[in-house]
Amino acid sequence: MKEEKKLAVVNKKPLKARIFQYRWFYVMFLPVLIFILLFNYLPMIGYRYAFYEYKSALSIKWVGLDNFVRLLSTEAFWSAFINTLQLSIVKLLLNTGMAVIISLLLNEIKNLTFKKVTQTIIYLPHFMSWVVTASVFALILSISESGLVNNLLLNLGLINDGEQIYFLGTKATWRLSYYIINIWKDTGWGTILFLATLSGINPEIYEAATIDGASRFSSMRYITLPALSNTIITVLILNLAKIMNLFESVFVLINDNVINVAQVLQTYTYDITFAAAPDFGFSTAVGLFRSLVACVLVLGCNYASKKVRNRGIV
Amino acid sequence: MKKKILSLLLATTMALSLVACGGTTEEATTTETETTETEVTETETTEVETEVAMEYPDSIKVMFDGTVFTEANGRAEFEASLEGVMSEYAGKPIDIEIIQPDHSGYYDSISQTFTGDASTWPDVVLLGAAYYSSYATQGVLADITSWWENSSLKSSGRVVSEALIDALYIDGSLYGISPARGNGCVTYVKQAWLDAAGVSSLPTNYAEYTAMLQAFQDAGLGEYPLSSAGIMNAEAPYVNYLPEFFQDAYPDFYQEADGTWVDGFTQDSMVAALDRLIEAYDNGWLDPESITNDTKAVREKYFADKQGVFTYWAGTWRYTLESNLESKSQEDLPISFGNTTLVVLEPIAEVDKYIERQATVWGVTTAAENPVAVADLFYSTMLDGADGQILWSYGVEGTHWSTAAEVLITNPGTDSEKANEFAEGQFHGLVNIETGSSLYTKNHIDKLLAIADLTEDFGASIDPRAEASMEMFNQNSRIAPVIVSNDVMSKYNSEMLSTKQQLITQVVTGELSIDDAMAMYNDQYGAQVEEILASLNQ
């Protein structure tokens, strides 16, 4: 009771006094605040151009909601929107799933040197730029004589000469190739969080399970996976909020033949923004729409996070 | 106390870093804002009056792409020399500020620049034909009609291709000058492939052309007879990399002989062209990776002898292609290159004429303090027939070219090392500073394409092979349909062109039938096409 009273007294201090009391914290926070206002909030003023026809700085005309009406009636926009959701969500599930599997496998490796070397090797692709990754895979998946995968399939007798698969050039195989390239590039990096969680599991639980006659698979099934589940959900929720941000990986792999299955909102925005006669107002409208959807997703994820973890992310 | 000191130090560091990041910009912005008010007034002026006294500016800001020597290729020397030429012309010191974004992202930078405040614009900018039309109608470029009509440049008689400048008039006004023609693509065939496949006469029509491709394929030469960077090029004139298959089809809007505007994509000629392209793709004449190739990839395939036919730029490029083939080690190539000669095909009967693209244009922006003075200073020195034009054509003596007797080594220390010997007084390019693999051949203006001649004859520098291909192109080419721009066109056309490009690709690869593609196009853009045609035909 005394404690509560004391706290109440502290809270009743005048604002000025409280600011003065924590002045050094405010001083420390000030540059961060300025930074955020300058680089995060100030650029948002540009969103007003979503309501203008903006062809150059000399040609700006108020059009109200016209850009949004045009946007919602544009087939290419909806195609890009649906592709964004499909590509992002499947990529997220695959990458997370593969990261979990690889983490579990790494966790089973007893030779420390081998484990560390393996970890280093699978982390490396993450540091490769998307441009380089795309060039490397364009060579590997090429249908020419230098294409590694097609040559392998040919030598194994799985395809005949002249039946080489144009992995990055046909609709049927582009998405599969895209997912595999993403898994190759980012799965290793994704294992870090899961490995950290795994290292935190009390070894005594495993010892007890072994004494009780549990096999390694049973230990993984009944101890490791349940211990990882909270982290898996957290990773999924946090990444779900970022699914509208798909750009670079698609931009470097897209081509005219697969545009219907590959064009995402960010690449669509890029295309319409850097055309020969762009209307930046329309581009901004697309960007604003994308931001609103992303905002809804963040809030949804925050809600889900509160439900699952009893604490939000914002 | 320690915490206080620490927090103060941290805060000061962050604040200083912010100030350091933004300091210069802030200063620049302040200055630029001051000039904006004046510029707005300039912008409102619809036509530049030539009566204005030539008050040349102290400095000009020029923006161009990688067709001018880049920083790694002696741009500083070029800039200094050009400042000298301009200063002499203006009778006062002129400072040039150069903006040269990465070549491949140049038009991204252009879009970003002209989206921003006019105070950040360059005074002079190099633009592709589509951008020229668009920015001229938006008021970004200054009207220089009066200056040109009364200029000493025009009256000098040095401009031998005035028709090219006449073609730049939009609704009776001129907004820029092209110092050279736009050039175009011709089809090169490797003589070694013709010999190996036993093709003794060059094709003169489509049937003979496809028979030649088939002969290459039957002889097992390379990987495929022909490769290209995309099926439909993203930039005008769109069909220039595969002329034998597109023939008279053109995917953009163009005027018929009777003056009526039509959408080329919906014409019968386009359907026929798609049939031919499907035939090329299905028969394996065309590299299937043409869909994902860029021009560099195709060039590399050509040098690696994976293909025998390549439609590419006429003129200097012929020399470049041949000299690159010559420099390849013979063991690296499937065919022994006893003969590295490239044959330049005359257009087959169905093509009739190769297409010349509309040239890039140098425009003076309305942000320039005195556009007429900037125009006079820039164009008059660029096409002076003497020192200025030499700089724009060949670069700086001692950095990019020389007439001294010397031996120049390219690719030193490699298998492709080559000694190039020149006599005293013989004009020649110096070794490429950046790569060391070749000699410079030209700067921005290709002498073979220039609209004004040099008073001093530098003809010795032109490779006869380049000259021959250019001559053949000049005799067998027509200028691409004019790129028009109006409000309706600018609203829809770039998105429509992207769709056309995608549909053509998907039809050729068999993802879509021709009928489906046409139906999709009509469903998606039928109303817009009608709207555009109505605006053009009114």
Side-chain angles (χ1 to χ4, degrees), chain A residues 179-195:
Chain A
Y179 295 136
I180 290 171
I181 294 168
N182 269 279
I183 287 170
W184 175 83
K185 192 172 188 303
D186 283 335
T187 297
W189 191 249
T191 60
I192 290 177
L193 212 58
F194 299 121
L195 283 171

Side-chain angles (χ1 to χ4, degrees), chain A residues 24 28 31 54-58 70 74 142-145 166 171 255-257 259-260 270 274-275 277 280, chain B residues 4 7-8 11 14 108 114-116 121 138-139 223 288-289 292 490-491 494-495 501-502 505-506 509 511:
Chain A
W24 298 114
M28 285 176 77
Y54 187 158
K55 289 180 177 169
S56 77
L58 297 179
R70 182 180 159 196
T74 303
S142 169
I143 45 173
S144 70
E145 286 169 4
Y166 198 177
K171 281 183 200 170
N255 59 71
D256 288 334
N257 209 37
I259 202 110
N260 298 354
Y270 179 90
F274 295 110
F280 299 104
Chain B
K4 288 177 191 173
S7 65
L8 267 175
M14 286 192 74
D108 294 358
F114 292 111
T115 315
W121 295 0
Q138 286 173 32
E223 291 190 15
E289 287 186 327
T292 46
S490 64
K491 189 171 181 182
S494 62
E495 197 175 311
Q501 198 180 353
Q502 292 150 20
T505 306
Q506 290 173 29
T509 57
E511 297 277 358

Side-chain angles (χ1 to χ4, degrees), chain B residues 15 41 54 65 218 277 288 310-311 387 408 410 455 504 513 518:
Chain B
T41 323
M54 287 296 175
D65 62 14
D218 294 342
L277 286 162
F310 184 22
T311 303
D387 293 348
L408 299 173
T410 48
T455 43
I504 287 174
S513 70
M518 291 297 172

Side-chain angles (χ1 to χ4, degrees), chain A residues 175 192 268:
Chain A
R175 281 194 176 180
I192 290 177
Y268 175 69

Side-chain angles (χ1 to χ4, degrees), chain B residues 175-186:
Chain B
Y175 299 90
I177 300 279
S178 295
R181 293 175 50 183
N183 200 5
C185 293
V186 294

Side-chain angles (χ1 to χ4, degrees), chain A residues 23-25 27-32 34-35 38-39 53-61 66 70 74-77 138-139 141-146 166 168-172 251 253-260 263 268 270-280 282, chain B residues 3-4 6-8 10-12 14-15 18 21 43 107-109 111-112 114-118 121 130-131 134-135 138-140 222-224 232 281 287-293 306 366 485-487 490-492 494-495 498 501-502 505-507 509 511-512 520 524-525:
Chain A
R23 60 194 178 282
W24 298 114
F25 290 111
V27 169
M28 285 176 77
F29 175 67
L30 195 62
V32 179
I34 294 168
F35 187 91
L38 267 181
F39 296 106
E53 183 187 274
Y54 187 158
K55 289 180 177 169
S56 77
L58 297 179
S59 173
I60 307 171
K61 195 169 74 184
D66 281 7
R70 182 180 159 196
T74 303
E75 201 175 304
F77 166 78
L139 277 176
L141 300 174
S142 169
I143 45 173
S144 70
E145 286 169 4
S146 53
Y166 198 177
L168 292 173
T170 49
K171 281 183 200 170
F251 184 71
L253 292 168
I254 200 167
N255 59 71
D256 288 334
N257 209 37
V258 299
I259 202 110
N260 298 354
Q263 182 86 298
Y268 175 69
Y270 179 90
D271 284 352
I272 56 172
T273 305
F274 295 110
D279 177 356
F280 299 104
F282 182 62
Chain B
K3 277 182 187 171
K4 288 177 191 173
L6 190 66
S7 65
L8 267 175
L10 276 168
T12 314
M14 286 192 74
L18 278 172
C21 288
T43 308
Y107 287 102
D108 294 358
S109 301
S111 294
Q112 284 169 340
F114 292 111
T115 315
D117 189 86
W121 295 0
Y131 288 84
S134 175
Y135 285 140
Q138 286 173 32
V140 171
E223 291 190 15
Y224 25 76
M232 174 187 149
Y281 193 85
D287 170 16
E289 287 186 327
S290 293
I291 297 157
T292 46
N293 282 339
K306 291 183 175 179
T366 45
S485 184
N486 62 28
D487 283 348
S490 64
K491 189 171 181 182
Y492 303 121
S494 62
E495 197 175 311
S498 296
Q501 198 180 353
Q502 292 150 20
T505 306
Q506 290 173 29
V507 165
T509 57
E511 297 277 358
L512 278 177
M520 281 173 73
Q524 205 170 334
Y525 292 110

